Amino acid sequence: MKTLKKIGLAAILMLAVIAKVDAKEYEFSIKAGFNIGGTSPMGLPAEIRGINSYNPTLSFSLEGSVKRELTEKWGVMTGIRLETRAMETDAQVKNYQIRLLNDGRYIEGIFTGDVVTKVKNDYVTIPVLAVYDLSKRWDLKFGGFMSFLTRGDFSGTAKNGYIREGNPLSQKLNVDATYDFSDDIKKFNAGLELGAEFVAYKHLSLYGDLTWSLTPLFPGDFTAVSFKMYNVYMNLGFAYVF
């Protein structure tokens, strides 16, 4: 909650600056790109023993943005971004807390084996960024973002292993089961954004933006996975500047 308040306060202060300062001009742009990254814990937990495979999948973004110059070097930028954050992973796990759907019933316990996870979440994102003109061709951007989930998918399969239901000392149960936590994903996501933009031609620029969420994917009382997970993605693309 403290993080959200800080981001909200920063947005309000930045908008207040925009309203009071006599800016030189507005700059409008349309951006298209793709996200590459992952939805994962911060640091590899002891339960995850190895990564068999990782597929970033195609995750597109489309954004309309406006930049307002405040001084010769500084400006602010905001906009609306429609984006997908997605990935697929196959991991080797041991003593991994999870809730599975096995033979028509839900079981929760400690799983050892392979876990295949598919993430595909669609968001409407509002960035609020400070912009520094490093040179005539390079801009640096930093600030925060707020994202609102429009469609969520966090599902997968637990295979090639066994689960101990309830506690680590219970009897082993061999499983090849599925899980789906899509309905448990939080509707709101927020964090930090840092990027750079290169003006290649008069109306065309290339950009790269790193978004690092500070709010976890699932709510605090979510117990089907024992650790918190966060969205960390790099958005790469091009912009047409009007």
Side-chain angles (χ1 to χ4, degrees), residues 17-175:
V17 171
I18 293 174
K20 291 183 178 181
V21 175
D22 291 330
K24 296 180 180 179
E25 65 176 301
Y26 288 96
E27 182 180 277
F28 297 91
S29 61
I30 295 178
K31 300 177 180 179
F34 63 93
N35 283 321
I36 181 171
T39 302
S40 65
M42 293 296 97
L44 204 63
E47 296 95 325
I48 300 178
R49 298 306 175 91
I51 304 297
N52 297 324
S53 66
Y54 162 75
N55 180 6
T57 72
L58 290 177
S59 305
F60 295 106
S61 69
L62 182 65
E63 179 179 345
S65 65
V66 56
K67 173 187 172 184
R68 186 173 184 181
E69 292 186 358
L70 303 178
T71 68
E72 186 177 339
K73 286 289 188 178
W74 287 94
V76 290
M77 178 181 290
T78 187
I80 297 178
R81 182 188 309 143
L82 307 178
E83 63 178 331
T84 300
R85 302 173 192 164
M87 68 165 193
E88 293 182 11
T89 61
D90 183 348
Q92 300 174 11
V93 300
K94 184 176 182 180
N95 298 330
Y96 184 84
Q97 176 74 28
I98 196 170
R99 183 179 68 228
L100 301 173
L101 180 60
N102 185 60
D103 293 333
R105 75 179 185 94
Y106 287 101
I107 55 176
E108 187 167 344
I110 307 299
F111 176 77
T112 297
D114 293 336
V115 174
V116 179
T117 301
K118 175 186 176 183
V119 178
K120 188 175 183 180
N121 298 326
D122 296 333
Y123 290 96
V124 177
T125 298
I126 301 174
V128 181
L129 306 170
V131 183
Y132 179 72
D133 293 337
L134 190 63
S135 67
K136 290 183 178 180
R137 289 204 161 190
W138 282 99
D139 284 350
L140 300 180
K141 301 174 290 182
F142 56 92
F145 71 88
M146 298 174 286
S147 294
F148 303 89
L149 183 74
T150 59
R151 188 188 68 86
D153 181 8
F154 190 103
S155 57
T157 305
K159 61 182 183 178
N160 303 329
Y162 61 86
I163 191 171
R164 296 182 186 270
E165 190 174 2
N167 63 76
L169 299 179
S170 61
Q171 185 177 358
K172 293 181 181 179
L173 175 65
N174 293 326
V175 293

Side-chain angles (χ1 to χ4, degrees), residues 154-207:
F154 190 103
S155 57
T157 305
K159 61 182 183 178
N160 303 329
Y162 61 86
I163 191 171
R164 296 182 186 270
E165 190 174 2
N167 63 76
L169 299 179
S170 61
Q171 185 177 358
K172 293 181 181 179
L173 175 65
N174 293 326
V175 293
D176 189 349
T178 62
Y179 61 91
D180 191 340
F181 306 142
S182 303
D183 293 337
D184 299 297
I185 300 173
K186 294 174 66 174
K187 301 300 183 183
F188 182 74
N189 194 240
L192 303 176
E193 183 167 332
L194 174 67
E197 192 162 334
F198 173 73
V199 180
Y201 300 99
K202 183 177 180 180
H203 293 288
L204 181 67
S205 62
L206 307 176
Y207 72 88

